[in-house]
Amino acid sequence: MTPPAYRRPETLGDLEQLLTDIEGGEGPVRLGKRSRHVLTALVTAPQQAAVSSISDLAERLGVSPSTLSRLAQRLGFDGFAGLQAVFRRNVTEGKSFYSDQVSRLLDGEGDNDDHHARLSRLGRQESANIDDMVTGIDGEVFVRAAELLVEARRVRVHGMRQFASLASFMAYGLGMLRPDVSPLDAARHGVADALAQLDEGDVLVVASCFPYTPSVLATAEAAARQGIHVIALTDSRGSPLAKVARYSFPVPNHSLFFSNSMCAFMLLVEGLLSEAANRLGDAGLAALKRRESLIGELDASL
C-alpha cells in the first residue's frame, strides 16, 4: 500500500524524481531491487514504454506481466494502463524536458538553502549512475568497440548541444593516439558533406539521450545505411540510436541536474580511450611522444 500523503506520479519528470528518491532511500514508496530495475528501464526508454504491450515489455525486461501490474499498483495506479499513460503523454506532449527538470529541482527538494546537502546528494546520484553503467557494460562489446576505434581507417565523433563537448573530448583524446580522427563536422561544411568523406568500414561514434536530438539520429541512420560502423553512447538499450548501432552502451543518467547528466558518459569515453591506448601499445606511445616533441618545439618558438 502507498502512504496516505503520497501523490502518484503524473509526468515522466515525476517518475524520474520518484526513482531518484527511492534510490537515495528517501522515497515515499518502497520498491524491491527487481521493481527498481524495471522502473529504471521504463523511465530510461519512455518511447518503448509508451508503445509496447505489457507482454512485449515484460519479455524485454525478463519479468512477468504481473510484475509490471504490481509495480503500477505500488505507484498508485489501478493497473499498468495507468502507468503506461504517463509515458504516452510524455511522447505525445513532452517537449519541455529541461524546464521540467528545473521545476522538479525547485519544487520538491525541501533543502533549497542547504547547498552542501544538494551537492552531496548529486554526488551520490552520479556515483550510482557510474556504478550502474560499469556493471552493465558487456565486456565483449566494450573490447570490440575499442578495436574498431583503433583499426578503422577513419573515426568521426558526433554529438549536439552538450554532447558536442563530449564528442570534442573523445575526438581529441583518440586523435592523440592515432591519425584521422575528428568531430564529424569539424570544418562546419555540413553533416552530409562530412559523411560523404567516410567509406564503408569507417567508424562514426554518436552520443545522445532522451530527449534525443533528431538530427543525430538521422545522421546515425544515414551512416549505417552507407556501411559505416556506428557506435552509440546513449541512455538505454531501447534508445533509437541503439537500434541502428553496431555497438551501443547504455549510460544511466538519473540526477538532480537540470539537463542530461554527463558524468557516467565521460567515464565511459575515458574507458574506451584507455582501452584503445592499451591496444595500440607502442604505436600509441610513439604518437604521444611525437606530440610532446612538437609541443616542446612550438612552445620554444612562440
Side-chain angles (χ1 to χ4, degrees), residues 76-96:
F77 298 94
D78 293 334
F80 183 72
L83 175 58
Q84 189 173 45
V86 175
F87 296 105
R88 288 180 172 172
R89 284 196 299 272
N90 176 76
V91 170
T92 57
E93 303 170 6
K95 298 296 181 183
S96 56

Side-chain angles (χ1 to χ4, degrees), residues 150 176-178 275-290:
V150 167
M176 294 175 70
L177 301 170
R178 52 148 295 170
E275 182 63 23
N278 181 62
R279 295 194 163 273
L280 281 164
D282 290 341
L285 183 61
L288 291 172
K289 288 183 175 180
R290 181 170 183 266

Side-chain angles (χ1 to χ4, degrees), residues 93-115:
E93 303 170 6
K95 298 296 181 183
S96 56
F97 174 80
Y98 303 107
S99 58
D100 284 348
Q101 293 284 88
V102 173
S103 296
R104 188 186 72 185
L105 175 62
L106 295 177
D107 292 342
E109 295 310 308
D111 61 351
N112 288 332
D113 295 326
D114 193 339
H115 311 299

